[in-house]
Amino acid sequence: MTYDETPETVPPAPKVPLSKGPLTAHDRTTVGPTAGERAVLWAGFPALGAVALWLVSRAAGWVASLPWAPMQGPFKLIASAPEPLLSIGSVVVGVLVGLAVAFFAEREYVTADIGPDQAALTVDGVTRTVPRAATAAVFRDGKNLVLLGHDSAELARLRGDFDADRFAAAFERHGYPWRPEGDPYAADFRRWVAAQPDLSSTAHALFKARAHALKKGEKKDAEQLREELARVGVVVRDGKDKAQHWRAVRPAQETDTPAE
């Protein structure tokens, strides 16, 4: 891997507004879904599930009577159930399906416990802890929350649902360099294609394996391969149509932000 091009100076991080009082290591801010959002999630999905399956149970006999309709066997079975068992059963099953959907949707929320010393970030049951001193930039990249180190490597990339404004306020309160303009190295990314001369054979092999994982929808394998590429100094960002874009990690002395 080569660094032939002269890197541009990263623009200084925006100044952080002063808090109302001095912060200590024990002062922390927790940010994530609001109580209202969680209430809608856990009440709304079960209610929708109950209504949807009740409507299916009402229409089951009619659908089963249509000779061209698919899945006639299951619809005939549903229509043959006696009342009130059919209505009660459809509502109960709908509520259970809605609760299952709410459970998985809740895991897609990004939550953070942020302090002046470190930030603990959680999504899908996995927590990543990032020291404040190691963090050079924090920003939103589409549906991703990204933290960069002083060498431009990604310290964390979490894909999920989060309110960027609330996260920005929490990070800035504790002195983290939130960048509202996004990735300071966005211009460095280029699309990966096989046999690019400025990538090692190891990196190309990892990219090929990751392209296969993305095509098969194997998210965990794709994430593990992203971490392997990070170990060889390559940052990966996924574009449209599962295209992989990459940039090389820069030496820390080339990315340090000028003092303000």
Side-chain angles (χ1 to χ4, degrees):
M1 185 179 305
T2 60
Y3 299 91
D4 296 330
E5 300 178 3
T6 303
E8 300 177 359
T9 302
V10 179
K15 292 185 177 181
V16 178
L18 295 176
S19 59
K20 294 182 178 180
L23 297 176
T24 70
H26 300 290
D27 291 319
R28 308 195 67 82
T29 302
T30 300
V31 60
T34 64
E37 289 170 339
R38 298 186 76 246
V40 170
L41 183 71
W42 285 100
F45 279 112
L48 286 174
V51 171
L53 285 196
W54 182 83
L55 291 174
V56 169
S57 72
R58 297 300 90 191
W62 173 72
V63 174
S65 68
L66 301 175
W68 49 264
M71 301 177 62
Q72 283 198 341
F75 279 109
K76 288 180 179 178
L77 180 62
I78 293 172
S80 66
E83 288 291 1
L85 180 62
L86 176 58
S87 294
I88 295 173
S90 62
V91 170
V92 170
V93 172
V95 169
L96 293 176
V97 171
L99 288 172
V101 173
F103 171 77
F104 287 106
E106 170 116 342
R107 292 174 66 88
E108 292 298 312
Y109 279 118
V110 179
T111 61
D113 179 45
I114 306 169
D117 54 343
Q118 64 181 23
L121 311 164
T122 304
V123 68
D124 198 17
V126 178
T127 299
R128 300 165 178 82
T129 301
V130 181
R132 165 65 188 90
T135 306
V138 189
F139 56 90
R140 178 178 185 172
D141 180 19
K143 290 195 68 175
N144 298 276
L145 177 66
V146 183
L147 287 81
L148 299 182
H150 295 285
D151 61 353
S152 83
E154 288 185 351
L155 303 176
R157 173 178 283 268
L158 298 92
R159 182 174 179 82
D161 297 322
F162 64 97
D163 186 307
D165 291 337
R166 283 194 280 125
F167 271 74
F171 276 113
E172 290 178 337
R173 178 175 184 268
H174 294 282
Y176 287 76
W178 178 270
R179 294 187 176 273
E181 73 280 6
D183 191 346
Y185 303 103
D188 292 355
F189 282 94
R190 43 185 163 160
R191 183 167 181 163
W192 171 77
V193 294
Q196 283 177 321
D198 43 0
L199 280 173
S200 67
S201 58
T202 299
H204 277 299
L206 292 170
F207 269 116
K208 290 177 182 177
R210 193 169 185 273
H212 179 75
L214 290 172
K215 183 177 180 181
K216 296 293 185 182
E218 298 168 347
K219 295 182 180 180
K220 289 186 178 181
D221 287 347
E223 187 59 30
Q224 290 176 353
L225 289 163
R226 178 198 295 279
E227 294 172 359
E228 290 294 328
L229 282 161
R231 293 188 182 97
V232 297
V234 178
V235 178
V236 184
R237 184 170 66 181
D238 296 326
K240 296 180 180 179
D241 301 324
K242 301 178 181 179
Q244 300 182 90
H245 298 259
W246 69 277
R247 66 171 173 81
V249 172
R250 301 178 176 186
Q253 63 269 24
E254 296 179 358
T255 61
D256 284 342
T257 301
E260 297 187 46

